[in-house]
Amino acid sequence: MSLGAQPGQVLRLVMGQGARLVLAGILIGAAAALALTRFMRSLLFEVRSADPLTFVAIASLLALVALAACYIPARRAMRVDPMTALRYE
């Protein structure tokens, strides 16, 4: 903000970086979960080991929580007074 960025640009920057990490985590986690389903078949009863509804629901829930965790610091960064930040450094 002290170099001329607008609050919306700061929000977009922080949320964009967080969203990339969330997407990478979901892709890696989904691939690992699908790979491990054959080991889980013996432990599950009346549920398919690769239930698509469960995978989508859990991935969506984790994405929402992670993006909310990114939004809180992003909102705080938007409200930083540039002069106060410069004086602090």
Side-chain angles (χ1 to χ4, degrees):
M1 299 258 313
S2 62
L3 296 175
Q6 299 298 318
Q9 292 171 326
V10 173
L11 176 69
R12 204 170 315 118
L13 174 73
V14 174
M15 291 297 292
Q17 290 176 351
R20 278 193 295 274
L21 288 173
V22 168
L23 182 62
I26 286 175
L27 292 177
I28 293 169
L34 285 172
L36 294 174
T37 55
R38 65 181 171 173
F39 298 116
M40 297 292 293
R41 282 191 183 141
S42 64
L43 301 174
L44 299 173
F45 301 101
E46 298 182 16
V47 177
R48 290 187 4 218
S49 59
D51 185 28
L53 179 63
T54 303
F55 275 86
V56 170
I58 296 303
S60 299
L61 178 66
L62 289 174
L64 284 174
V65 170
L67 289 175
C70 292
Y71 178 72
I72 293 169
R75 191 180 69 188
R76 188 173 179 194
M78 283 183 353
R79 295 184 178 165
V80 168
D81 180 33
M83 290 307 293
T84 304
L86 288 172
R87 280 190 206 125
Y88 180 70
E89 295 294 324

